[in-house]
Amino acid sequence: MSTHVAASTGSRALLSPRVVRSTVVPVIRHQVSALEPTLARICGYHLGFIDEHGDPSSGGDGKLTRAGLMMAVADGVGLRPEDVQSQAAAVELLHNATLLHDDIADTDELRRGRAAAWKVFGVSLAIHAGNALQALGLQMVVDDSGPGHQKIARSFAEALSLVHAGQARELALRPGPGSGTAAYEQMVKEKASALLEFSLATPALRAEKPENVLTALRGAGRHLGIALQISNDVEDIWGDPAMTGKPLRGDLKRRNLTFPVLVALSADGPAGNRLNRLWHADSTTETHLQSLADLIDEAGGRHSAQQLSRQHLDSAVEHLGRAGLSPAATTELTTLFDRIVNRAA
Amino acid sequence: MSTHVAASTGSRALLSPRVVRSTVVPVIRHQVSALEPTLARICGYHLGFIDEHGDPSSGGDGKLTRAGLMMAVADGVGLRPEDVQSQAAAVELLHNATLLHDDIADTDELRRGRAAAWKVFGVSLAIHAGNALQALGLQMVVDDSGPGHQKIARSFAEALSLVHAGQARELALRPGPGSGTAAYEQMVKEKASALLEFSLATPALRAEKPENVLTALRGAGRHLGIALQISNDVEDIWGDPAMTGKPLRGDLKRRNLTFPVLVALSADGPAGNRLNRLWHADSTTETHLQSLADLIDEAGGRHSAQQLSRQHLDSAVEHLGRAGLSPAATTELTTLFDRIVNRAA
């Protein structure tokens, strides 16, 4: 993935993904390889270190988005990458734990262009593997004794609780007059924003920055998460599977109430009305999904989603500006925010 | 369940379950009720606070074994129950999280005499509910600032990792010449002993006791876990479902390599040989399971298991004796150990 970034964004931003990768990946590899052998294999597969036969693999690893954000903020508060190395590895492990369990819960068969772990190793072992990654992340956070360690551990535990709450809330989402998008925002705040808030706030806790800096960074994380999730929602319907690593319209097939759908279902007018009729039909044929996609677009779901995602991205950048980081870090984070939201996966 | 204890053990031991229940249950109820509503319902159901319709229920709650042990040790090192209240609640939450996920992984349909949570609410939500309980336990441990809090948090995280490793190792158990029971002991040490070690050691960490006390208590927990697991294994085959709350011979049906089975499969002689032939037959009829049970018994699996369970119980009591707790607490814990192993569930 660093080659992809190099091709698309030029030299200044190149530094960061390389540093992030070389700081975080060895730690994760080391920790994962020390797991019970079966778990090490499943987690190594999920993280893209090995293929399904246990052979070394270079494909399928994640973008280290959360570690990247954490290290950029670390730079912006005068810390070195090593100062938040454990926390950066931990947040990536936790993020991957949620993906492992999410794929089971959603019966998603593809992850980063490869078979999801539960398809390869079965549901039982994949549940335990997700738990193992979560426990590993936790161990790394509580084993750390650097400045602010207890506050960091607390915010890690809180993020973990929020993520699980958001995942459950997502499954409970129901279309309704007006209430749909409010419940959606609450869900996203928990599911997508919690780990981003943790990533942005941790270096400030380590550097023992005052409360206003933390508030600004957490606000940035909150808005970034909402922008990212809405952008993911748009990509599910109109994105490029080669970029997302997931089959097109998986959410649509499962009739998940993503943001464009919620907007379109509550829209007045012929497209919204027709969508409400077609939405509850069982069909998952490409033609039917295409009709749904067209109606969501016509009813304004795509436009509203893109607009709201942009607004939240702007708000994220605005909050970031209030954190008083170094100008170079602020510029880098602004670029990162944009890249995260606009090639979401 | 306290009525059961009252009926079987007389007045002295009555105190403890009541104190444990009144100290721990309100904390757990309060924390669980504050979860996202869907999660609160699933976790409340799993913990026996409500029935599947959401109505108050008094059946199906656990025995609070781990909290009970923790509070007895607390008493033995001069602490009050409140001094380890959060940790006692946390270890019960964590234990219940593993049960929730285990029932999914094992497709176990019954838990404490009621439908398992995944049967009532579905696999997806039950996965998230297990995660939520785990995260809640973690939050309670890291939010605590009392003496020894960082060591306690670390040992909590370590126990969590060990439990997940043990669960995975259990699924990977294979019969083999000699190797079977060694892998079994390793698995049990992780899966069953880790939380018991945490339960026994936590009050000593809180009271800042020297290393030899910790070693003694952890040793007691290790042996207690092995004794308990082997006793559970025997109950699966020859126990009373009314006591265990689980269907008879579930492990046998799934051909799980429990301790009596491992012993019998590697036994020389006609019963062992016959068992090896029948073991791999697909049949799960009662007649077939009865034949397996009889052969395991004949090949010495039941006797060896009961003997080894007793030996580990004796070792647990011996280690306990080296911890230097108050005589009253030592007596109470000895009774508790015996009761835990000999009416395991």
Side-chain angles (χ1 to χ4, degrees), chain A residues 56-122:
Chain A
S57 157
S58 59
D61 51 349
K63 295 190 299 287
L64 303 175
T65 300
R66 287 146 196 86
L69 291 171
M70 197 184 288
M71 294 203 167
V73 177
D75 185 54
V77 295
L79 298 175
R80 298 158 307 165
E82 307 89 271
D83 296 325
V84 292
Q85 189 175 33
S86 302
Q87 293 73 18
V91 75
E92 289 295 334
L93 289 171
L94 179 52
H95 174 61
N96 277 286
T98 67
L99 296 181
L100 251 164
H101 281 179
D102 253 3
D103 287 345
I104 305 169
D106 299 344
T107 60
D108 254 331
E109 303 192 354
L110 217 56
R111 166 68 57 192
R112 296 171 191 146
R114 310 190 311 161
W118 68 272
K119 284 296 286 179
V120 180
F121 302 97

Side-chain angles (χ1 to χ4, degrees), chain A residues 101 105 124 131 139 145 154 161, chain B residues 101 105 124 131 139 145 154 161:
Chain A
H101 281 179
S124 304
N131 283 335
Q139 273 195 291
S145 297
R154 284 178 186 170
S161 287
Chain B
H101 281 180
S124 304
N131 284 334
Q139 273 195 292
S145 297
R154 283 178 187 170
S161 286

